[in-house]
Amino acid sequence: MQRTSPPAPAGRAVPYAAARPDPGLPVPAYWAEAIAAGLPGRAAAGPPGGGAAVRAAAAGYWDRRGLPTDAAQTAAGPGAEPLLLALLAAIGGDVVVARPSAARHAPPVRLRGRTPVAVPTPSVGGGAPDPFALLEAVRRAREDGADPRVVLLAAADDPSGTVTPPELLHEVCEAAEEAGLLLVSDETYGDTVHRPHGTTLLSPAEMLPARTVVLSDLGAALAPPGWPAAVLRFPATERGMSLRTEVLRHCAELGALLPGPVAEAATHALSEPASVRAHLAAANRLHAAVARAAYDVVAGAGALSRPPEAGFHLYADFGPLAAGLAAAGVTDAAGLEAVLTERLGHPAPGGHRFGDDPAALRVRIDTGPLYGGDDAQRRTALDSPSPVALPHVAARLGTLASVLTALGGAAR
């Protein structure tokens, strides 16, 4: 199933995959082996919501993360986007989203003929809306005749690569409960936290288990993005099980079914044997080292960014360089995206793709393309204890520095 992103502004063609950050990793051996094992006799799609094996593996995955789960509470599908569309259709009503938020969050809302209720995130980071602004936005939306029923958030965030502090997440959950909202917690980047022993990442399902549905796309950490697979966890309540039934019905109508070989590989990955755990650890070491180096480059060029804490991306604000950029004809996020994409040779999606102010000079800078130009280089970076020192990684960081310094120089 194809992934979707907002259309590029007229005259500014941007690669189709720009909205999703590139993990920059080679296909894990465990995934390739599991796909191959699943091919003979298993090419057909599984049932809506996935077969028993993948659902049991998903339950175990959440058990190990402190969320006791029964297989009957889970569902699997071909990527986060179709599952999110089916879920929001099952819930009905209007949806509150963070601003900025992952590019996949708003399109399912619009596909249902609704306009997302966008609430800004606080300055401390993460992809959860400000709790006080959330309550005010819901109040105003209801006064205007809208019907907000759910808030969609991500404590480990795309596009910023930051993590919502636990105390703030508690406040968001309290606000959502006060407003009578369900929560959909997109925990796709939960397994990509750079310092898992030094960063506290909580799930709303720990605080409001009866009101929270958890979504996780395997493409961020466990699976290659080109083989879409994602899982949902529903509350163990009558309402949660009813919601799951509706989601499975929508998945059947959409044809959002996991192919047999992908289900086989996803089952293996979600079970997290030693080979999967080793891959996760190595990938996070690589992401953390290069993201920190990229952050230093961005800061050195005069742009603003919060230090990345998760994922393989950071969110840069070129507002301090606005005068020089305007002299070069760059006055908005789309223009900055076009310039950086051309000069870097890989997508640098602007903030307008994440629901941010189109006039603000913000872009997401992905670190995956810095790992190498082919699988051999990416494998070398993944296996290296000092990836930033590798010649091919250092060269790509140098290109990033040159491009951003040139923009900064124009601004000065």
Side-chain angles (χ1 to χ4, degrees), residues 109-143:
V109 181
R110 296 194 180 99
L111 283 171
R112 296 180 49 248
R114 305 275 182 159
T115 299
V117 179
V119 178
T121 58
S123 59
V124 292
D130 178 274
F132 301 104
L134 170 63
L135 288 172
E136 178 64 13
V138 169
R139 182 188 68 79
R140 290 185 178 181
R142 287 173 175 161
E143 285 181 352

mmCIF file of all heavy atoms in Angstrom, residues 109-143:
data_model
loop_
_atom_site.group_PDB
_atom_site.id
_atom_site.type_symbol
_atom_site.label_atom_id
_atom_site.label_comp_id
_atom_site.label_asym_id
_atom_site.label_seq_id
_atom_site.Cartn_x
_atom_site.Cartn_y
_atom_site.Cartn_z
ATOM 1 N N VAL A 109 -8.088 12.503 8.470
ATOM 2 C CA VAL A 109 -9.173 13.365 8.944
ATOM 3 C C VAL A 109 -9.841 14.037 7.749
ATOM 4 O O VAL A 109 -11.070 14.052 7.624
ATOM 5 C CB VAL A 109 -8.633 14.418 9.931
ATOM 6 C CG1 VAL A 109 -9.771 15.290 10.448
ATOM 7 C CG2 VAL A 109 -7.895 13.754 11.093
ATOM 8 N N ARG A 110 -9.023 14.571 6.854
ATOM 9 C CA ARG A 110 -9.563 15.277 5.687
ATOM 10 C C ARG A 110 -10.266 14.323 4.719
ATOM 11 O O ARG A 110 -11.255 14.699 4.081
ATOM 12 C CB ARG A 110 -8.436 16.023 4.975
ATOM 13 C CG ARG A 110 -7.817 17.127 5.823
ATOM 14 C CD ARG A 110 -6.957 18.061 4.986
ATOM 15 N NE ARG A 110 -6.381 19.110 5.804
ATOM 16 C CZ ARG A 110 -5.143 19.102 6.276
ATOM 17 N NH1 ARG A 110 -4.330 18.095 5.985
ATOM 18 N NH2 ARG A 110 -4.695 20.088 7.021
ATOM 19 N N LEU A 111 -9.762 13.092 4.616
ATOM 20 C CA LEU A 111 -10.405 12.120 3.748
ATOM 21 C C LEU A 111 -11.836 11.824 4.196
ATOM 22 O O LEU A 111 -12.673 11.413 3.383
ATOM 23 C CB LEU A 111 -9.596 10.825 3.695
ATOM 24 C CG LEU A 111 -8.337 10.852 2.823
ATOM 25 C CD1 LEU A 111 -7.526 9.582 3.034
ATOM 26 C CD2 LEU A 111 -8.713 11.003 1.356
ATOM 27 N N ARG A 112 -12.096 12.025 5.472
ATOM 28 C CA ARG A 112 -13.444 11.824 6.001
ATOM 29 C C ARG A 112 -14.292 13.096 5.914
ATOM 30 O O ARG A 112 -15.395 13.154 6.450
ATOM 31 C CB ARG A 112 -13.368 11.360 7.452
ATOM 32 C CG ARG A 112 -12.705 9.992 7.643
ATOM 33 C CD ARG A 112 -12.649 9.590 9.115
ATOM 34 N NE ARG A 112 -13.942 9.767 9.756
ATOM 35 C CZ ARG A 112 -14.178 10.692 10.696
ATOM 36 N NH1 ARG A 112 -13.230 11.519 11.095
ATOM 37 N NH2 ARG A 112 -15.376 10.778 11.237
ATOM 38 N N GLY A 113 -13.765 14.134 5.229
ATOM 39 C CA GLY A 113 -14.514 15.361 5.051
ATOM 40 C C GLY A 113 -14.491 16.272 6.255
ATOM 41 O O GLY A 113 -15.344 17.168 6.380
ATOM 42 N N ARG A 114 -13.532 16.078 7.159
ATOM 43 C CA ARG A 114 -13.418 16.898 8.372
ATOM 44 C C ARG A 114 -12.165 17.760 8.306
ATOM 45 O O ARG A 114 -11.194 17.438 7.613
ATOM 46 C CB ARG A 114 -13.344 16.008 9.611
ATOM 47 C CG ARG A 114 -14.500 15.021 9.758
ATOM 48 C CD ARG A 114 -15.685 15.666 10.430
ATOM 49 N NE ARG A 114 -16.790 14.730 10.623
ATOM 50 C CZ ARG A 114 -17.761 14.899 11.514
ATOM 51 N NH1 ARG A 114 -17.754 15.967 12.299
ATOM 52 N NH2 ARG A 114 -18.740 14.029 11.610
ATOM 53 N N THR A 115 -12.175 18.847 9.057
ATOM 54 C CA THR A 115 -10.993 19.687 9.199
ATOM 55 C C THR A 115 -10.376 19.428 10.559
ATOM 56 O O THR A 115 -11.074 19.533 11.581
ATOM 57 C CB THR A 115 -11.360 21.180 9.075
ATOM 58 O OG1 THR A 115 -11.919 21.420 7.779
ATOM 59 C CG2 THR A 115 -10.119 22.058 9.254
ATOM 60 N N PRO A 116 -9.085 19.067 10.641
ATOM 61 C CA PRO A 116 -8.480 18.814 11.949
ATOM 62 C C PRO A 116 -8.535 20.053 12.841
ATOM 63 O O PRO A 116 -8.391 21.189 12.366
ATOM 64 C CB PRO A 116 -7.027 18.466 11.598
ATOM 65 C CG PRO A 116 -7.047 18.086 10.156
ATOM 66 C CD PRO A 116 -8.140 18.878 9.528
ATOM 67 N N VAL A 117 -8.752 19.828 14.118
ATOM 68 C CA VAL A 117 -8.667 20.902 15.109
ATOM 69 C C VAL A 117 -7.217 20.929 15.580
ATOM 70 O O VAL A 117 -6.787 20.076 16.357
ATOM 71 C CB VAL A 117 -9.623 20.641 16.291
ATOM 72 C CG1 VAL A 117 -9.514 21.757 17.325
ATOM 73 C CG2 VAL A 117 -11.056 20.486 15.799
ATOM 74 N N ALA A 118 -6.446 21.879 15.071
ATOM 75 C CA ALA A 118 -5.008 21.921 15.339
ATOM 76 C C ALA A 118 -4.724 22.731 16.593
ATOM 77 O O ALA A 118 -5.207 23.851 16.761
ATOM 78 C CB ALA A 118 -4.264 22.519 14.151
ATOM 79 N N VAL A 119 -3.925 22.147 17.492
ATOM 80 C CA VAL A 119 -3.555 22.796 18.746
ATOM 81 C C VAL A 119 -2.034 22.807 18.841
ATOM 82 O O VAL A 119 -1.393 21.763 18.674
ATOM 83 C CB VAL A 119 -4.147 22.044 19.958
ATOM 84 C CG1 VAL A 119 -3.724 22.703 21.262
ATOM 85 C CG2 VAL A 119 -5.666 21.993 19.856
ATOM 86 N N PRO A 120 -1.419 23.961 19.093
ATOM 87 C CA PRO A 120 0.048 24.026 19.113
ATOM 88 C C PRO A 120 0.665 23.193 20.226
ATOM 89 O O PRO A 120 0.069 23.015 21.294
ATOM 90 C CB PRO A 120 0.342 25.519 19.298
ATOM 91 C CG PRO A 120 -0.911 26.104 19.852
ATOM 92 C CD PRO A 120 -2.040 25.272 19.322
ATOM 93 N N THR A 121 1.852 22.682 19.947
ATOM 94 C CA THR A 121 2.615 21.975 20.968
ATOM 95 C C THR A 121 3.372 22.984 21.818
ATOM 96 O O THR A 121 3.745 24.056 21.334
ATOM 97 C CB THR A 121 3.624 21.000 20.333
ATOM 98 O OG1 THR A 121 4.504 21.743 19.482
ATOM 99 C CG2 THR A 121 2.920 19.948 19.508
ATOM 100 N N PRO A 122 3.634 22.675 23.080
ATOM 101 C CA PRO A 122 4.406 23.599 23.917
ATOM 102 C C PRO A 122 5.890 23.593 23.535
ATOM 103 O O PRO A 122 6.361 22.691 22.845
ATOM 104 C CB PRO A 122 4.196 23.057 25.334
ATOM 105 C CG PRO A 122 3.834 21.630 25.141
ATOM 106 C CD PRO A 122 3.144 21.517 23.826
ATOM 107 N N SER A 123 6.617 24.574 24.012
ATOM 108 C CA SER A 123 8.012 24.745 23.601
ATOM 109 C C SER A 123 8.936 23.665 24.129
ATOM 110 O O SER A 123 10.044 23.502 23.620
ATOM 111 C CB SER A 123 8.521 26.111 24.068
ATOM 112 O OG SER A 123 8.429 26.224 25.482
ATOM 113 N N VAL A 124 8.493 22.899 25.138
ATOM 114 C CA VAL A 124 9.381 21.893 25.725
ATOM 115 C C VAL A 124 9.561 20.677 24.838
ATOM 116 O O VAL A 124 10.427 19.841 25.087
ATOM 117 C CB VAL A 124 8.883 21.442 27.117
ATOM 118 C CG1 VAL A 124 9.014 22.563 28.121
ATOM 119 C CG2 VAL A 124 7.439 20.951 27.034
ATOM 120 N N GLY A 125 8.736 20.542 23.785
ATOM 121 C CA GLY A 125 8.967 19.454 22.839
ATOM 122 C C GLY A 125 7.918 18.364 22.908
ATOM 123 O O GLY A 125 7.022 18.361 23.748
ATOM 124 N N GLY A 126 8.068 17.418 21.991
ATOM 125 C CA GLY A 126 7.125 16.332 21.880
ATOM 126 C C GLY A 126 5.971 16.676 20.965
ATOM 127 O O GLY A 126 5.798 17.821 20.549
ATOM 128 N N GLY A 127 5.166 15.682 20.658
ATOM 129 C CA GLY A 127 4.067 15.847 19.726
ATOM 130 C C GLY A 127 2.708 15.834 20.387
ATOM 131 O O GLY A 127 1.725 15.416 19.785
ATOM 132 N N ALA A 128 2.635 16.305 21.631
ATOM 133 C CA ALA A 128 1.359 16.409 22.335
ATOM 134 C C ALA A 128 0.932 17.875 22.390
ATOM 135 O O ALA A 128 1.765 18.764 22.570
ATOM 136 C CB ALA A 128 1.483 15.845 23.754
ATOM 137 N N PRO A 129 -0.354 18.163 22.249
ATOM 138 C CA PRO A 129 -0.808 19.550 22.291
ATOM 139 C C PRO A 129 -0.690 20.148 23.687
ATOM 140 O O PRO A 129 -0.730 19.426 24.692
ATOM 141 C CB PRO A 129 -2.273 19.464 21.852
ATOM 142 C CG PRO A 129 -2.686 18.070 22.200
ATOM 143 C CD PRO A 129 -1.464 17.219 22.013
ATOM 144 N N ASP A 130 -0.561 21.461 23.740
ATOM 145 C CA ASP A 130 -0.567 22.161 25.024
ATOM 146 C C ASP A 130 -1.912 21.889 25.715
ATOM 147 O O ASP A 130 -2.972 22.051 25.115
ATOM 148 C CB ASP A 130 -0.389 23.657 24.793
ATOM 149 C CG ASP A 130 -0.442 24.436 26.079
ATOM 150 O OD1 ASP A 130 -1.563 24.784 26.518
ATOM 151 O OD2 ASP A 130 0.633 24.682 26.657
ATOM 152 N N PRO A 131 -1.908 21.452 26.977
ATOM 153 C CA PRO A 131 -3.166 21.029 27.609
ATOM 154 C C PRO A 131 -4.181 22.158 27.771
ATOM 155 O O PRO A 131 -5.392 21.937 27.610
ATOM 156 C CB PRO A 131 -2.716 20.476 28.961
ATOM 157 C CG PRO A 131 -1.349 21.030 29.190
ATOM 158 C CD PRO A 131 -0.747 21.210 27.839
ATOM 159 N N PHE A 132 -3.730 23.363 28.092
ATOM 160 C CA PHE A 132 -4.669 24.471 28.270
ATOM 161 C C PHE A 132 -5.233 24.909 26.920
ATOM 162 O O PHE A 132 -6.429 25.186 26.789
ATOM 163 C CB PHE A 132 -3.971 25.634 28.986
ATOM 164 C CG PHE A 132 -3.440 25.249 30.338
ATOM 165 C CD1 PHE A 132 -2.087 25.034 30.542
ATOM 166 C CD2 PHE A 132 -4.311 25.075 31.408
ATOM 167 C CE1 PHE A 132 -1.592 24.657 31.786
ATOM 168 C CE2 PHE A 132 -3.834 24.705 32.664
ATOM 169 C CZ PHE A 132 -2.473 24.491 32.849
ATOM 170 N N ALA A 133 -4.367 24.946 25.910
ATOM 171 C CA ALA A 133 -4.842 25.274 24.564
ATOM 172 C C ALA A 133 -5.778 24.198 24.049
ATOM 173 O O ALA A 133 -6.717 24.485 23.291
ATOM 174 C CB ALA A 133 -3.649 25.451 23.625
ATOM 175 N N LEU A 134 -5.558 22.954 24.452
ATOM 176 C CA LEU A 134 -6.438 21.850 24.040
ATOM 177 C C LEU A 134 -7.851 22.076 24.549
ATOM 178 O O LEU A 134 -8.823 21.979 23.790
ATOM 179 C CB LEU A 134 -5.877 20.531 24.564
ATOM 180 C CG LEU A 134 -6.772 19.298 24.444
ATOM 181 C CD1 LEU A 134 -7.053 18.975 22.986
ATOM 182 C CD2 LEU A 134 -6.143 18.096 25.143
ATOM 183 N N LEU A 135 -7.974 22.390 25.821
ATOM 184 C CA LEU A 135 -9.307 22.605 26.388
ATOM 185 C C LEU A 135 -10.011 23.780 25.712
ATOM 186 O O LEU A 135 -11.207 23.712 25.409
ATOM 187 C CB LEU A 135 -9.192 22.847 27.901
ATOM 188 C CG LEU A 135 -8.832 21.619 28.741
ATOM 189 C CD1 LEU A 135 -8.562 22.040 30.184
ATOM 190 C CD2 LEU A 135 -9.942 20.582 28.692
ATOM 191 N N GLU A 136 -9.271 24.865 25.470
ATOM 192 C CA GLU A 136 -9.876 26.033 24.835
ATOM 193 C C GLU A 136 -10.283 25.723 23.398
ATOM 194 O O GLU A 136 -11.366 26.147 22.929
ATOM 195 C CB GLU A 136 -8.889 27.202 24.882
ATOM 196 C CG GLU A 136 -9.378 28.478 24.215
ATOM 197 C CD GLU A 136 -10.604 29.082 24.892
ATOM 198 O OE1 GLU A 136 -10.954 28.662 26.027
ATOM 199 O OE2 GLU A 136 -11.232 29.974 24.283
ATOM 200 N N ALA A 137 -9.423 24.999 22.674
ATOM 201 C CA ALA A 137 -9.742 24.665 21.275
ATOM 202 C C ALA A 137 -10.978 23.778 21.189
ATOM 203 O O ALA A 137 -11.826 23.958 20.298
ATOM 204 C CB ALA A 137 -8.543 23.982 20.622
ATOM 205 N N VAL A 138 -11.098 22.812 22.098
ATOM 206 C CA VAL A 138 -12.264 21.931 22.093
ATOM 207 C C VAL A 138 -13.527 22.722 22.436
ATOM 208 O O VAL A 138 -14.590 22.538 21.812
ATOM 209 C CB VAL A 138 -12.047 20.761 23.075
ATOM 210 C CG1 VAL A 138 -13.340 19.983 23.281
ATOM 211 C CG2 VAL A 138 -10.956 19.843 22.564
ATOM 212 N N ARG A 139 -13.409 23.608 23.421
ATOM 213 C CA ARG A 139 -14.568 24.428 23.793
ATOM 214 C C ARG A 139 -15.052 25.251 22.597
ATOM 215 O O ARG A 139 -16.251 25.283 22.284
ATOM 216 C CB ARG A 139 -14.205 25.346 24.956
ATOM 217 C CG ARG A 139 -15.360 26.214 25.441
ATOM 218 C CD ARG A 139 -14.910 27.237 26.471
ATOM 219 N NE ARG A 139 -14.031 28.248 25.874
ATOM 220 C CZ ARG A 139 -14.472 29.288 25.158
ATOM 221 N NH1 ARG A 139 -15.771 29.431 24.923
ATOM 222 N NH2 ARG A 139 -13.611 30.151 24.654
ATOM 223 N N ARG A 140 -14.117 25.919 21.921
ATOM 224 C CA ARG A 140 -14.492 26.763 20.790
ATOM 225 C C ARG A 140 -15.039 25.927 19.632
ATOM 226 O O ARG A 140 -16.005 26.334 18.964
ATOM 227 C CB ARG A 140 -13.279 27.571 20.324
ATOM 228 C CG ARG A 140 -12.854 28.656 21.299
ATOM 229 C CD ARG A 140 -11.729 29.479 20.718
ATOM 230 N NE ARG A 140 -11.349 30.554 21.622
ATOM 231 C CZ ARG A 140 -10.396 31.446 21.356
ATOM 232 N NH1 ARG A 140 -9.725 31.371 20.204
ATOM 233 N NH2 ARG A 140 -10.107 32.401 22.217
ATOM 234 N N ALA A 141 -14.418 24.771 19.392
ATOM 235 C CA ALA A 141 -14.890 23.921 18.298
ATOM 236 C C ALA A 141 -16.320 23.482 18.541
ATOM 237 O O ALA A 141 -17.155 23.474 17.617
ATOM 238 C CB ALA A 141 -13.968 22.713 18.146
ATOM 239 N N ARG A 142 -16.647 23.126 19.764
ATOM 240 C CA ARG A 142 -18.011 22.690 20.079
ATOM 241 C C ARG A 142 -18.994 23.848 19.992
ATOM 242 O O ARG A 142 -20.126 23.665 19.540
ATOM 243 C CB ARG A 142 -18.034 22.028 21.452
ATOM 244 C CG ARG A 142 -17.381 20.644 21.428
ATOM 245 C CD ARG A 142 -17.228 20.018 22.794
ATOM 246 N NE ARG A 142 -16.707 18.650 22.666
ATOM 247 C CZ ARG A 142 -16.120 17.972 23.648
ATOM 248 N NH1 ARG A 142 -15.969 18.535 24.848
ATOM 249 N NH2 ARG A 142 -15.687 16.747 23.445
ATOM 250 N N GLU A 143 -18.562 25.036 20.390
ATOM 251 C CA GLU A 143 -19.425 26.206 20.243
ATOM 252 C C GLU A 143 -19.729 26.491 18.775
ATOM 253 O O GLU A 143 -20.819 26.970 18.439
ATOM 254 C CB GLU A 143 -18.759 27.430 20.872
ATOM 255 C CG GLU A 143 -18.783 27.450 22.383
ATOM 256 C CD GLU A 143 -18.138 28.701 22.953
ATOM 257 O OE1 GLU A 143 -17.546 29.477 22.158
ATOM 258 O OE2 GLU A 143 -18.219 28.900 24.176
#
